[in-house]
Amino acid sequence: MKDEKKVKIVKRIKIDADQCNGCRACEAICAAFHAEPKYSSVNPARARIHVIHDPLRDIYLPVYAGEYTPAECAGRNTYTLNGKEYDECAFCRASCPSRDLFKEPDSGLPLKCDMCETDPPLEEPMCVQVCIDDALTYEEVEVEVEEEEEAKIEDLELGLEALIKKYGLDETMKIMARMAASEQE
Amino acid sequence: MRYTETGFNLEVDLTKGNIERVPTDPRLTEQHLGGLGTNARILWDRVPPEVDPLSPENVIIFSSGLLGGTLAPGANRTIVSTLSPQTGLMAFSMMGGFWAPELKYAGYDKVIVTGKSPNLVYLWINNDTVEIRDASHLHGKGALETAELIREELNEPRARVLAIGLAGENQVYYASIEHERSSASRGGIGAVMGSKGLKAIVVRGTKDLNIAKPAEFWEECDKVLKYIEFRRENPIKGVPPILAGLGSPQEMAIHDEQWHTTSFSWGNARVRRKDFWTEERAKAWSEIQTKSVERLISCYNCPMRCGAIVPHPELPTHRYMMKCYSKLTYVMGAMADDLEFGFKIAGLAQEYGVDGYTAPQVMAFAVELYENGILTDEDLPGFPKKNEDRFFYLLDKIVHREGIGDILAEGVYWAARKIGKGAEKFDHNTIKKHEQIPIKLGMLNPIYYILWSTGEKINITQIEGQMPQAPFPTKELKEDFIKDWIQIPTGKEEKFKQFIMEWGEEGKRFPFWPPPDLICDLVEWQETMHYIDDTVGLCAGLSSFPLKPAYHIHNLPLLISYGTGLDIDEDRLWEIAKRTRNLVRAINVRRGLRRKDEKPPEDHWKKRFPEYEAKLLDEYYRYKGWNKDGIPTRETLEKLDLGFVAEDLIKRGILTDGDGNSEKKEEK
Ligand code: SF4
Ligand code: SF4
Ligand code: SF4
């Protein structure tokens, strides 16, 4: 069994920035969909997609929240687009200590696009559903993969990692123990 | 917890430099819902009728609507309310874009500004941190340029900015407030901002906006979105392309301009050019439009893309954003044949911040006065020969209030009276001192007659909609239209559908048809839907303005109830809209509005019927519960929980104590 190739479905969102009208419906629905309970609040600052927009330079670029990076990166780029020089981080999708993008506004916990994984699964991720101008489209492609895959870092793990980074392992464990205790009361 | 609203307003007194976050009264939400409704209540309570609109005592309110910033598509309106320097009445202006949702996410429903700052300032609202900042370096800067500079100095590209240009600073009576791809233009509200020394309001918010019944609410929103998609595939048959879809008129996407260019009047609302739209023109204009539109863009949470990014190398910003039909208003006002001129001057005018409807009409009026010897070379030194150049010349004079521009800056009505020498005769397209869309037609249209006369927004497009503008030519088209016409209020379905079926048949034509009760019903419906939109903060383009819209009197109560947790059904929503409608009327009545002001210009239609018109107006006033002078009766006001308004009007001698009762007797 071990060495067998397996067919896996890869979910992909294709971004056609030329079709983006800058409406931010994707941001709004993403934030609402991930609210607890679902749709109970809207706050685009919690979205796992962000539309970088600079209308006067005709820049509309939806970016998905990527990996959490515990440290700022060293080598950086600058961009010049339509005559304006952009901040070196302007188009990056990482949740990174240098800025507030892709972090929960209150706790600062990192956010990452989870493709709206839910049970039962959605036909299409929410941001794609509301983007009826087709800047975002969804596709599933079958790819062959080796059985053994690196375990996916889940949201929870990501969050914990960030907390540990921020407050240290001890402090984080203490808080968790306290919360567990109060939960049982 | 409050739902769909934050429950807080930001109160700013620019004289004292004081800023306060003030909780709002939930009872007012129940009475008026929000947006325009609560704005009207604040103006009624706080601005006595003798206040000069440009004085520090005037209050200007920048409001979100009740559903603004929720998942409801197109719930993005910023509703700006104040007293207009031009009309002296309450000014109505709504704009799309992103500002109001951001305000909600910052934790406020409204920003209420009074007083006057000694120097030019802007307001920076960053969640809980709010500061008044110096704006002297922004003096004279264009509206978009200002937004750009502020975002840069705050290092916050996500901040949303509304700003005035030079016209607002110089208190031009038709100065607009500009925000990205949208503007709140009507009634000179930009001048009010200017009079307060307020250049811009900048907002960034990262807080949650709560929904009472989340799953139900989203389900309704999703239906709206699906309907928008459905209508893309299924435009209304038998009407011009510009009227067949949803959204603000799709001026940026649609190239066919036959309807506007041949139905509306050119120059100073003077001539119709019925043969303007030739094949050759269509081709030339289409090429210009393709070249001028880089990208179609939307407002917050809306797929309709009614605006566009337009390159404009001569502006400091190199580009601007256009919406709706201002590409044509300047072209038609200047009798120019060249669409490129339209794109060029509209960009400049937006940076100066003037109303794209009024400004070209004032300029066309000035050109006419010049051609008739009323304005001379002395008034207009170096006045160019070509109309296009004349418009650039006049725009410059007006926004700088230089020479004759200082007079023209007050709009056609006031300028005509200041210039004299017969200039008043050329003021033939204003109602209540406000410039109207240039439409001059043949036969009195009784429905539009009432809309035009009595509308307090003083702008037909702000209260019409839902009804076709002409009868469908065939029975098949009529049937097709009414078959899924679900937007009609409960109880009126048969009446309205029958109207569509009969309209245009022998004996079923304007002006003496339809009967007054049907006219009243149709007017009331169209207007009420607009008042609801302005209250909940929805774009009229998805709701009260187009034929068969996505929002209507049947899904709006659900959305409001699920969103807020209030229990609002169709009747209650109607009543709330009526309450606000009457409160607005009361504000204006207190400032002098009377029946004598409620009339379209004499040449509005070639064929007029003074006696019939007077009868219609009587009927409509009665239908509204207003007395013969257009003043809400005591009884009407009391029924709407507006007894305090009635008392005030009685105390001022505007209403007599018996007013309500006498009306009742007449009816019996
Ligand atoms: S929903 Fe689509 S069009 Fe709107 S901002 Fe997002 S990607 Fe762009
Ligand atoms: S796929 Fe889902 S989680 Fe990812 S950005 Fe879109 S809505 Fe958010
Ligand atoms: S319909 Fe057009 S104007 Fe209205 S909200 Fe949508 S994009 Fe804006």
Side-chain angles (χ1 to χ4, degrees), chain A residues 116-137:
Chain A
C116 295
E117 292 289 359
T118 182
D119 194 24
L122 303 176
E123 225 163 88
E124 285 184 332
M126 293 309 291
C127 55
V128 175
Q129 283 188 34
V130 298
C131 184
I132 66 174
D133 291 328
D134 289 344
L136 309 175
T137 48

Side-chain angles (χ1 to χ4, degrees), chain A residues 19-27 49 51 62 127 130-131 133 135-136:
Chain A
Q19 296 306 318
C20 177
N21 63 42
C23 70
R24 303 176 68 202
C26 48
E27 295 181 16
I49 179 168
V51 182
C127 55
V130 298
C131 184
D133 291 328
L136 309 175

